[in-house]
Amino acid sequence: MKLFLRFCTIGILSLLSASLVYAFPRSLAVPGGVVIIDLPAKTIESVRFGDSLGAVVAAPSQSQGIVPIPLNTPPGAHSITLMFTDGTRELRQVVITAKEYPSQHITLKSNEAVSLSPENLARFEREKPKIQQAFSTWTPKEIVPASLFFTLPTPGRMSSPFGFRRFFNGEPRSPHSGIDIAAPQGTPVISAASGTVIRTGDYFFNGKSIFIDHGQGIITMYCHLHTIDVNPGDQVVRGEKIGTVGSTGRSTGPHLHFTVSIGNVRVDPLLFLSDTDLSAIGAKLEEGK
């Protein structure tokens, strides 16, 4: 009961923060960050950073572009390209600051999740395009600006931040593409913002997972769930229960892996959380180095 009340309190504070204070995520020009830019009055067709497609949000006072910065972006000057519906374009310069992400070494009891058997490798190869398809979803709909500051999807403690270079049983793997929030199995998981459930499934690495489309290429993913309480096609609202924390897939214990993706680029979810929620999970934002 105490956990439930704490969860409700966090959710209410998040909603108040999102609706009254924040309209957009924090802008942080580092690899894995997002850059928020003001857009001109002309009708925008797209906003791009290299091959990455950003989100365009028509706010009442000033339209904004939310531009994802891939983790492999080198530091230095880069261009953001604004494409207009009349065929013209405009270049904006942005300086990306280097950011050093720490490494993490994880020991798994079974080596099967590290060096995959032919059967498990085949399963992974079958699942990979389905996951990529979900992240590549682009729904050209407007988003309420306040929804771009997300509600914490579950109470708990951040056990692994975004961008960690992870080593499983000594073998290097891709950087961590989201944040992990440790919580007891069965803890409710809620939708971070309103949207449409576009995929659910049980995957070799991610376990039971849910993908939610929030429009303009913004996708959230919730992994390692114990239960999934929604179905593809369901419309969910911010704060709605979608499942429970579990330890399915490649997992060392009950936790929620939470990913934010824009234009098929994974970015730091902490940029989308209020100060209240950051404090609740024991997290803080680190600037570039």
Side-chain angles (χ1 to χ4, degrees), residues 26-36 49 67 69 73-76 94-99 271 287-288:
R26 296 175 176 86
S27 186
L28 187 60
V30 299
V34 295
V35 174
I36 313 298
F49 181 88
V67 186
I69 310 300
T73 302
V94 60
V95 176
I96 303 302
T97 303
K99 182 172 182 178
L271 296 172
E287 299 292 331

Side-chain angles (χ1 to χ4, degrees), residues 7 60 67 71 88 99 101 109 136 138 142 160 166 169 191 208 222 258 272 274 276:
F7 180 58
V67 186
L71 264 174
T88 60
K99 182 172 182 178
Y101 291 97
K109 294 179 180 179
S136 298
W138 185 273
E142 294 184 357
S160 184
R166 306 210 289 182
N169 293 358
S191 178
K208 293 182 179 180
Y222 312 76
F258 177 55
F272 293 75
S274 70
T276 299

Side-chain angles (χ1 to χ4, degrees), residues 222-242:
Y222 312 76
C223 296
H224 306 299
L225 300 172
H226 180 61
T227 60
I228 294 175
D229 299 336
V230 291
N231 297 296
D234 286 352
Q235 301 290 320
V236 295
V237 298
R238 176 191 298 267
E240 181 176 341
K241 183 174 177 287
I242 58 175

Side-chain angles (χ1 to χ4, degrees), residues 120 123-135 198-211 221-225 228 232 247-251:
N120 287 335
R123 177 185 172 185
F124 168 71
E125 293 296 339
R126 290 194 305 269
E127 295 172 347
K128 186 177 179 180
K130 297 177 182 179
I131 294 173
Q132 285 299 318
Q133 183 182 37
F135 279 130
I198 54 173
R199 178 173 289 279
T200 63
D202 191 351
Y203 305 102
F204 179 76
F205 285 113
N206 295 342
K208 293 182 179 180
S209 304
I210 299 170
F211 297 80
M221 178 179 70
Y222 312 76
C223 296
H224 306 299
L225 300 172
I228 294 175
S247 187
T248 55
R250 184 168 70 177
S251 171

Side-chain angles (χ1 to χ4, degrees):
M1 178 61 73
K2 290 182 179 179
L3 180 62
F4 177 77
L5 291 174
R6 176 171 175 262
F7 180 58
C8 291
T9 301
I10 291 171
I12 291 169
L13 289 173
S14 299
L15 285 169
L16 290 173
S17 297
S19 61
L20 297 177
V21 180
Y22 302 102
F24 298 96
R26 296 175 176 86
S27 186
L28 187 60
V30 299
V34 295
V35 174
I36 313 298
I37 60 171
D38 292 338
L39 298 178
K42 294 177 65 176
T43 305
I44 293 284
E45 180 178 285
S46 66
V47 176
R48 290 184 177 273
F49 181 88
D51 295 329
S52 305
L53 192 61
V56 176
V57 180
S61 58
Q62 174 71 62
S63 294
Q64 303 280 335
I66 296 85
V67 186
I69 310 300
L71 264 174
N72 61 357
T73 302
H78 294 266
S79 294
I80 295 173
T81 304
L82 311 184
M83 296 295 297
F84 302 100
T85 54
D86 63 5
T88 60
R89 67 176 185 171
E90 176 184 333
L91 296 181
R92 299 277 185 90
Q93 294 296 311
V94 60
V95 176
I96 303 302
T97 303
K99 182 172 182 178
E100 182 180 345
Y101 291 97
S103 60
Q104 180 184 47
H105 293 262
I106 298 175
T107 300
L108 301 175
K109 294 179 180 179
S110 172
N111 220 38
E112 286 188 3
V114 181
S115 300
L116 301 185
S117 67
E119 180 181 0
N120 287 335
L121 180 59
R123 177 185 172 185
F124 168 71
E125 293 296 339
R126 290 194 305 269
E127 295 172 347
K128 186 177 179 180
K130 297 177 182 179
I131 294 173
Q132 285 299 318
Q133 183 182 37
F135 279 130
S136 298
T137 299
W138 185 273
T139 305
K141 67 179 182 182
E142 294 184 357
I143 306 174
V144 178
S147 73
L148 294 177
F149 229 84
F150 293 156
T151 299
L152 185 68
T154 197
R157 173 186 59 83
M158 188 176 75
S159 56
S160 184
F162 175 84
F164 260 22
R165 180 72 180 184
R166 306 210 289 182
F167 295 80
F168 289 98
N169 293 358
E171 296 189 20
R173 289 297 183 268
S174 299
H176 196 214
S177 62
I179 61 171
D180 288 345
I181 302 175
Q185 181 166 301
T187 303
V189 174
I190 64 173
S191 178
S194 299
T196 303
V197 178
I198 54 173
R199 178 173 289 279
T200 63
D202 191 351
Y203 305 102
F204 179 76
F205 285 113
N206 295 342
K208 293 182 179 180
S209 304
I210 299 170
F211 297 80
I212 298 178
D213 172 21
H214 306 285
Q216 291 284 325
I218 301 175
I219 309 293
T220 54
M221 178 179 70
Y222 312 76
C223 296
H224 306 299
L225 300 172
H226 180 61
T227 60
I228 294 175
D229 299 336
V230 291
N231 297 296
D234 286 352
Q235 301 290 320
V236 295
V237 298
R238 176 191 298 267
E240 181 176 341
K241 183 174 177 287
I242 58 175
T244 57
V245 171
S247 187
T248 55
R250 184 168 70 177
S251 171
T252 57
H255 72 283
L256 172 70
H257 173 95
F258 177 55
T259 288
V260 176
S261 181
I262 303 177
N264 201 14
V265 174
R266 268 41 105 207
V267 294
D268 191 348
L270 297 185
L271 296 172
F272 293 75
L273 297 178
S274 70
D275 290 339
T276 299
D277 285 344
L278 292 178
S279 177
I281 61 174
K284 64 178 181 178
L285 284 168
E286 299 288 347
E287 299 292 331
K289 298 179 180 179

